[in-house]
Amino acid sequence: MFVTLEGIDRSGKTTQAALLTEALGPQTLLLREPGGTDAGERIRGLLKDPATDLDPRTELLLFCAARAELCVRLVRQALDRGHDVVCDRFVDSTVAYQGAARGIGTQLVERLNEIAIAGCLPDVTVLLRIDPEGAEARGQQRLAEGGADGIDRFEGEGIEFQRLVAAAYDDLALRHPERIAVIDAEGNVAEVHARVMEVVKRVAA
């Protein structure tokens, strides 16, 4: 089973991806996007660096390049061996962030995603829905507690950018209800994890 987790910045994806991986068992492969492969991690450093000025089209193509490497070198091989795969972000992030929020166009981004993944679609995508203001408050609390490693290029775009991303995710969920399951990301970590597990167990049944 291939599960991806999506949502705006500070929606709790990384925490929930780790918890889901643990729940699915020791042979489950946990990945993040961009990243996972040597090339992907190098691309991740470039994309996340707030000092890097990238044209939106360059940004889009870098994400797709990292994704292509991830699919061919890790995701497809793990699935072929019968292992579960959990990925923190995948194709929908690029549609929401670059296609919608950056204004490139969602249909164009979806076509490029198809080329990058070569049929490697998730069995289910869990969309962690949280109000952008609530996510912003989480980020401020995390910074105050010293639990953040700084603000990356996307987190630094501000609340209006996150609102555009959130709206794009809602549109994606409406267009792909057979794949995208929306859950409430408000509440404590255990509560959200229980909601994620309900979705995954339903798909696995």
Side-chain angles (χ1 to χ4, degrees):
M1 180 171 52
F2 181 20
V3 184
T4 59
L5 287 91
E6 296 281 1
I8 64 173
D9 289 294
R10 309 180 187 94
S11 59
K13 297 176 311 305
T14 302
T15 298
Q16 293 303 325
L19 289 172
L20 175 59
T21 300
E22 183 179 357
L24 291 176
Q27 290 192 319
T28 304
L29 178 62
L30 174 60
L31 300 170
R32 66 178 184 176
E33 272 226 329
T37 65
D38 180 59
E41 290 296 332
R42 294 184 186 188
I43 292 172
R44 181 185 183 88
L46 184 64
L47 285 165
K48 292 281 190 176
D49 186 355
T52 303
D53 183 21
L54 295 173
D55 181 86
R57 292 170 299 175
T58 305
E59 190 177 270
L60 166 63
L61 292 171
L62 285 170
F63 272 110
C64 287
R67 182 165 299 133
E69 280 288 291
L70 189 75
C71 287
V72 72
R73 298 191 183 278
L74 295 176
V75 178
R76 179 59 64 194
Q77 292 186 27
L79 294 174
D80 287 346
R81 291 194 298 269
H83 297 169
D84 292 324
V85 178
V86 175
C87 195
D88 178 357
R89 294 198 181 282
F90 199 58
V91 291
D92 301 297
S93 283
T94 311
V95 176
Y97 280 76
Q98 283 69 48
R102 295 287 197 217
I104 294 175
T106 56
Q107 292 184 346
L108 173 61
V109 173
E110 287 182 328
R111 290 199 299 272
L112 288 173
N113 273 332
E114 289 175 4
I115 295 170
I117 68 174
C120 194
L121 265 176
D123 295 295
V124 64
T125 296
V126 180
L127 174 56
L128 301 173
R129 179 182 280 157
I130 185 173
D131 184 79
E133 284 76 14
E136 179 77 9
R138 279 186 182 179
Q140 293 301 322
Q141 180 180 359
R142 194 175 67 183
L143 282 171
E145 294 172 350
D149 295 325
I151 303 298
D152 67 29
R153 288 179 64 247
F154 301 101
E155 292 174 335
E157 291 284 356
I159 191 72
E160 290 302 324
F161 184 80
Q162 296 299 324
R163 290 193 182 106
L164 290 173
V165 173
Y169 273 129
D170 286 342
D171 179 65
L172 279 164
L174 288 173
R175 290 196 288 117
H176 302 287
E178 75 290 346
R179 176 175 60 84
I180 300 177
V182 182
I183 69 166
D184 182 6
E186 299 283 359
N188 63 45
V189 170
E191 290 170 340
V192 178
H193 174 60
R195 295 169 197 151
V196 172
M197 291 305 300
E198 285 180 12
V199 170
V200 173
K201 287 176 181 177
R202 186 166 64 244
V203 172

